[in-house]
Amino acid sequence: GESVGLHLPTLSVQEGDNSIINCAYSNSASDYFIWYKQESGKGPQFIIDIRSNMDKRQGQRVTVLLNKTVKHLSLQIAATQPGDSAVYFCAESRASGGSYIPTFGRGTSLIVHP
Amino acid sequence: DAGITQSPRHKVTETGTPVTLRCHQTENHRYMYWYRQDPGHGLRLIHYSYGVKDTDKGEVSDGYSVSRSKTEDFLLTLESATSSQTSVYFCAISGSYNEQFFGPGTRLTVL
C-alpha cells in the first residue's frame, strides 16, 4: 500500500543551528499533512499542519513546506534547542467520512548537541 | 495531553488472557482512535470510532476489538493476548477534519 517515509532516520545538529527534517509521501490524493513530535516515554504531540492548498505554513520557530509536484514535505526548526531533541513524525491523510485517517512515517530522531 | 487519559499505563499479562485498555477524553470530540507503536513500524491504526457505537477497522485490527458506549470512553480489547501484541498503545482524539491529540500511552507486555 501507499505509505509515508522519511529520508533521514537520525539528524544531529548543534544548538542554535536550523534543522530540516524531510518526508516523502506517495499518495497523490492526500490533502492534509501533519508533523508530530514525540519525546521519550510520551505520546506524539502536534506541531504544525498544512493542507494541500498551501505551500508553506509558519508557526513559532517551525515552518512546514509542501511540494506537491514531487510529493515532499519538510519541517524546518529555527534556532534548534536541546528541548527539540525528539522523534519527529510526518503523517499524510485525506478526508474520509468527516475525519482524517492519517498514515504515519516511521520517524526521524533529532539530536541537539549543546 | 488535551484531556486524554489512558489506563492502565503499564500492564504485564500472560499469553491467552483477555486484556482491556481504556481511553477516556474530556474534550467531547467525536473521533477516537487506537494505535500501536513498535520499533521500525511507527504508529499503526488498530481501530477508530466516529461516534457512539460507530467503529471501523484500521490496518492492524486482527486480534483486537473495540467498543464505544459513551462519547468519552473508547475501549480496546485483546480477547486472547499473544506475544506479538506486546507494544505501546496510544489513544488519540480529534474533531472533524482536525489534527489528532494523543494520550500518554499504555505499555503492554505479553509473556
Side-chain angles (χ1 to χ4, degrees), chain A residues 36 38 51 97-99 106, chain B residues 31 33 37 40 90 97 99-100:
Chain A
Y36 289 92
Q38 186 175 25
R51 300 189 189 271
S99 180
R106 287 181 289 175
Chain B
Y31 298 93
Y33 313 79
Q37 186 175 40
F90 287 101
Y97 300 115
E99 69 276 13
Q100 294 179 328

Side-chain angles (χ1 to χ4, degrees), chain B residues 15 36 38 44 62-64 78 80-87 89 108 110-111:
Chain B
T15 298
R36 61 179 289 173
D38 305 289
R44 292 183 291 174
D62 288 348
Y64 302 95
L78 291 66
S80 178
T82 67
S83 58
S84 65
Q85 293 176 310
T86 292
S87 186
Y89 291 85
L108 175 67
V110 183
L111 301 176

Side-chain angles (χ1 to χ4, degrees), chain B residues 55-87:
Chain B
T55 65
D56 206 349
K57 296 179 180 179
E59 65 174 299
V60 290
S61 59
D62 288 348
Y64 302 95
S65 62
V66 291
S67 66
R68 190 167 179 201
S69 59
K70 298 184 291 185
T71 299
E72 57 266 36
D73 289 324
F74 193 32
L75 304 180
L76 177 70
T77 298
L78 291 66
E79 300 291 346
S80 178
T82 67
S83 58
S84 65
Q85 293 176 310
T86 292
S87 186

